[in-house]
Structures are given as C-alpha cells and as structure tokens.
Amino acid sequence: MKDFKHFAKRREIFAAKMQGGVAIIPTAPERLRNRDAHYPYRFDSYFYYLTGFKEPEAILVIVAGTQDTPAKHILFCRDKDVEREIWDGFRYGPDAAKEVFGLDESYAVSELDKLLPKLLADQTAVYTAIGQDTAWDQRIVGWINKVRAQIRSGVQAPTEIRDCSLLLDEMRLFKGAEELQIMRQAATISTQAHRLAMQTTRPGMFEYEIEAELLYTFHKHGAPAPAYTSIVAGGANACVLHYIENNAELKAGDLLLIDAGCELHGYASDITRTFPVNGKFTAAQKDIYQLVLAAQQAAIAKAKPGNTWNDPHQAALQVLVQGFIDLNLCQGSVEAVLESKDYKRFYMHRTGHWLGMDVHDAGEYKQNGEWRQLQPGMTLTVEPGCYIRPTDNVPEHFWNIGIRIEDDVAITQTGNEILSAAAPKEITEIEGIMQ
Ligand code: GLY
Ligand code: MN
Ligand code: MN
C-alpha cells in the first residue's frame, strides 16, 4: 500500500472527536519467543489504523487542535541505524517516515521521555488505551508526574486519562471502501485455501498436512500470516471448539471442520467449512449439515440495515432448534427449548462477531442496553454450528458430528455482500469439488 491518505484522514477524524488533550498511541511491543528469537511481529491495530506504519517501537502522538490551531500529528519511531539495518533490514527513520506517512512532526523514539512531558504541559487530558499493558499505563503516569513536578513554575498537568479505544472502536466498526476492498481480497485468498483443502483431503492424511495447504495458499498470495491459529479438526476433534493441535489422522466416514482465514494488510478473514474426509456425506451427516446451512442462510438473510446485531443469531437459533426437535435431539416446542436453553448441548456459541483488523473486531454490540442496529460498512461473521458429543440420549449415528459454516459478511445499503462466497458450501458443490 503506497497511498497513506486514508490513514491521515482517520487521524483527522479522530482528532476532531477528541475534546482537547493529547492522544498517545503506541504500536505493539516485540515479544521474545526464546533466547534471542522473536515471535513474528504484528503491529497494534489502533496504531496501524491511524498510521499505516508497520515498524515496532513507534508511538503516535496527537495533540488536539483548538479553534485557532489545527491538530498536530507526531510520530516517534526508531532512528536510522546503519549497523542494525545490516542485521534486521530497512527502517524509515523519523525524517523519511514523516514524509512518507504524512505526519506533521517526527522524532527518534529515544526522545520520548524527554519530549512527552513538554507535549503534556498545560493539557487537560491524556487519551490512551488504558489497561491493556501495565508497563505502558505506568509510563503514562510517569510522564504526567513529570509535568506535575513543574506545577510551581506555573505549568498545568493533565487531570484526566481517557480511554481512546471508545472513539477508535466506533470508527473501526464502520469500514471504508478501501478497507472493504482489502477484506474482500483477504476473504478471496482464504476461499482459495478452503477450496484447495477440499481438493487435497483424503483418508489417511493428517490434519497438519491440510493445514500446510492453507498456509501455503495464504503465503503464496501475499498474506503474511493467518488471522488466528487455524482449526483443522477431523471427526470428534470438530466438537472441541478451539481445537488447534491439528495432528490427528483423517478417517474415511468422518467430517473435517476447517476454520481458517488469512490476514492481509492488517485485515482478517475468518471462514469455516466442513466436509467429508472421503468426499461423500453420510445420511446422518447430511441431516445435520443441511440444518446448519439452513440456519446460516436464515441468519445471513437477517444481516441487513434495519435489523439489530442480534437478529441473525435469533434467526439461526429458530432454525436450529426446530431442526433439533425434528431430529429428536431436543424435545418440546421451539419456545420451550429456547427458554430452557436445552439447545446449548449442541449449539453453545453465538452466531458471529464483528470482523476487521482483529478477527474479533472492535465495536460495541449494544448501545444504551439495546442491541445495536446493523448499518452499511459494518462487517461481521455468520457462523452457526452443531456439535454432537457421544451421549446416551442421542442416536449413535449422530455421535462426533461437528459442523460449522462461517462466512464474512459486509452490510450494504440494501442488504449484504458475502465476502467469502467463493468457498463452496452446498453439499453438491462440495462433493463435486472433492471428486
Ligand atoms: N476463528 C475464530 C472465530 O470463528 O471466532
Ligand atoms: Mn468467527
Ligand atoms: Mn472462525
């Protein structure tokens, strides 16, 4: 991405929403894995959202404007360092970063402790993401205390620390056209990975071999990492919701549940497909699969402006519960099963979450105690499922069936766009591609 004007625009919007004060937004720290090897680096989502800057050890400072002065956007980042760049590669340095990323000022990150107390002098409030990192919270308090130490010379210190995530979460919830374009690409790469998984899977292979096909496809198309640890769960493993061992042998007659999506330019995709290891659904598997698919379609139909966040979930539940009753998995009326929550033996999670830079993305689900309205630009997953563990009162042919179908959906003016539509989910399509 070479055009950073979207990031500058977001900074301006954020600065306009601040009520005075100074925002201090750091990127994520590098984390040691062991000895001197690091985990793969991933920037902080808030920081990246406002800068587009991917290097570690960087901090964005925004001084809110007044009636007479515009807001000031300042980047602290690593200095140029010929020696380190030989070992670790290119770094922008403050001067180039300021030009390329369109900041007003930039400084070496080593200047932070010296300059921040000056920037905080005579300011009323500090905006930062409170409570995410204790060490960071302490640094903020340390800078404020440095300003307080000068009070006798007439300097005023900030008296409030405000959570910047409230403003930023609300901005991040509504995706712009440029964000939707990236999310479309991310989802498309992930659908290719799911297709390849279906084409490759055979009895006798191991779950990790299929995971390798997914990672191969992500990397091959320029997505540097999965957005979360891939779930590749054969047979009974599919009934473990967060199964990530991915080391079991795949058996004919079992289903394979794959929940995997890549991250591209900082945006997640999150897709689940479930298909038979040997390419043919059994009758019992078909019964449950068609039920989950019908629930998903009912939920997607409700994902549109005018409905609330909870409507897709309720629609999925209605279909699933009716199906559980028809299949004799639950007894009584739909209302009674919804009331007793007996369905939770087979469906124990909700039907989706916001999707964006984080797989479980920023944004409130309720406002003033009410489920919030769906509006154009919101992106979410729709992912009903059914997980049947072996138990006495369930027919044996349903045991160890675990099915989830998950798509990425963007709310549009008139309804929705399914970003992950290219991953097959009709039984005939799946059996066809697996031939
Ligand atoms: N893959 C995480 C989720 O579906 O929420
Ligand atoms: Mn999900
Ligand atoms: Mn998922």
Side-chain angles (χ1 to χ4, degrees):
M1 267 200 304
K2 293 205 180 61
D3 186 353
F4 292 98
K5 70 174 189 295
H6 296 301
F7 299 94
K9 181 85 201 151
R10 291 175 203 152
R11 284 196 298 274
E12 274 170 33
I13 294 172
F14 174 70
K17 286 178 190 279
M18 289 168 68
Q19 293 176 323
V22 177
I24 312 175
I25 300 168
T27 195
E30 291 178 287
R31 300 270 184 215
L32 271 187
R33 183 171 185 274
N34 48 18
R35 198 75 57 150
D36 52 2
H38 289 83
Y39 283 105
Y41 183 69
R42 165 57 156 76
F43 41 77
D44 174 79
S45 295
Y46 291 125
F47 174 84
Y48 182 81
Y49 181 75
L50 293 172
T51 60
F53 193 69
K54 293 185 174 176
E55 290 181 23
E57 295 186 77
I59 293 105
L60 174 68
V61 176
I62 300 178
V63 183
T66 64
Q67 283 198 323
D68 314 315
T69 50
K72 197 159 62 174
H73 304 273
I74 307 167
L75 181 72
F76 289 83
C77 67
R78 299 182 301 189
D79 239 334
K80 291 296 283 179
D81 182 336
V82 175
E83 177 66 16
R84 282 314 326 159
E85 290 184 52
I86 289 171
W87 290 87
D88 302 331
F90 173 81
R91 41 176 84 176
Y92 277 95
D95 292 341
K98 181 180 127 174
E99 293 311 315
V100 173
F101 296 87
L103 282 304
D104 297 317
E105 295 176 16
S106 62
Y107 301 97
V109 65
S110 54
E111 300 283 291
L112 195 62
D113 284 326
K114 194 176 90 194
L115 293 181
L116 256 186
K118 292 185 184 161
L119 289 166
L120 293 182
D122 292 326
Q123 294 287 350
T124 53
V126 174
Y127 285 82
T128 196
I130 309 163
Q132 298 201 342
D133 178 353
T134 317
W136 178 255
D137 292 350
Q138 281 171 353
R139 281 189 86 181
I140 296 275
V141 172
W143 291 320
I144 293 176
N145 280 340
K146 276 207 166 163
V147 188
R148 282 183 180 156
Q150 308 166 39
I151 282 181
R152 277 186 298 279
S153 59
V155 175
Q156 302 262 296
T159 52
E160 271 183 62
I161 300 180
R162 299 186 192 142
D163 193 353
C164 66
S165 41
L166 296 177
L167 294 178
L168 287 170
D169 286 355
E170 196 59 20
M171 287 174 64
R172 282 174 53 187
L173 180 55
F174 294 89
K175 274 70 179 175
E178 76 288 356
E179 295 179 282
L180 286 171
Q181 187 50 29
I182 299 171
M183 291 185 71
R184 223 171 261 130
Q185 282 172 12
T188 300
I189 294 170
S190 300
T191 62
Q192 284 173 283
H194 280 269
R195 295 177 74 93
L196 184 61
M198 289 176 189
Q199 287 162 338
T200 309
T201 297
R202 295 287 175 273
M205 292 179 80
F206 283 77
E207 291 163 346
Y208 51 74
E209 294 180 75
I210 308 306
E211 184 179 15
E213 302 291 341
L214 302 167
L215 293 174
Y216 165 80
T217 311
F218 298 165
H219 291 200
K220 172 127 173 126
H221 293 93
Y228 52 92
T229 306
S230 307
I231 296 170
V232 184
N237 295 337
C239 295
V240 179
L241 296 181
H242 291 163
Y243 175 80
I244 51 170
E245 278 80 6
N246 301 352
N247 58 6
E249 189 175 343
L250 298 169
K251 304 220 166 60
D254 279 353
L255 292 171
L256 175 58
L257 181 154
I258 298 179
D259 184 345
C262 69
E263 178 177 299
L264 184 71
H265 303 312
Y267 286 80
S269 54
D270 180 10
I271 302 175
T272 308
R273 289 294 184 263
T274 311
F275 55 89
V277 168
N278 63 1
K280 257 333 226 170
F281 285 87
T282 66
Q285 289 166 353
K286 265 187 191 170
D287 283 344
I288 305 294
Y289 190 92
Q290 288 296 8
L291 176 59
V292 175
L293 185 58
Q296 205 227 14
Q297 284 159 342
I300 290 176
K302 293 283 183 191
K304 60 180 185 188
N307 287 337
T308 71
W309 163 258
N310 202 41
D311 288 332
H313 179 58
Q314 284 306 329
L317 268 187
Q318 283 285 337
V319 174
L320 285 173
V321 168
Q322 182 64 61
F324 295 159
I325 293 166
D326 295 343
L327 294 168
N328 222 8
L329 293 167
C330 290
Q331 278 73 41
S333 66
V334 170
E335 293 69 31
V337 174
L338 285 172
E339 172 72 23
S340 69
K341 303 205 186 313
D342 188 40
Y343 64 83
K344 286 203 169 187
R345 289 187 291 131
F346 310 114
Y347 182 47
M348 57 299 277
H349 59 77
R350 290 192 55 92
T351 304
H353 48 81
W354 302 130
L355 181 71
M357 296 198 67
D358 301 332
V359 65
H360 293 176
D361 204 34
E364 306 231 274
Y365 292 94
K366 278 191 170 178
Q367 283 182 320
N368 306 319
E370 302 285 335
W371 294 112
R372 75 184 297 161
Q373 298 283 320
L374 296 174
Q375 291 172 51
M378 292 173 163
T379 48
L380 55 140
T381 65
V382 181
E383 50 175 308
C386 175
Y387 316 89
I388 309 180
R389 292 160 176 279
T391 16
D392 288 346
N393 52 2
V394 170
E396 207 171 320
H397 55 260
F398 287 137
W399 288 6
N400 296 324
I401 291 181
I403 293 171
R404 178 165 61 256
I405 308 173
E406 174 174 31
D407 278 303
D408 300 347
V409 174
I411 307 292
T412 61
Q413 297 288 344
T414 52
N416 64 55
E417 174 187 349
I418 304 176
L419 307 177
S420 48
K425 62 181 176 183
E426 293 289 344
I427 285 181
T428 49
E429 276 181 292
I430 292 174
E431 292 188 343
I433 194 174
M434 292 188 73
Q435 286 276 303

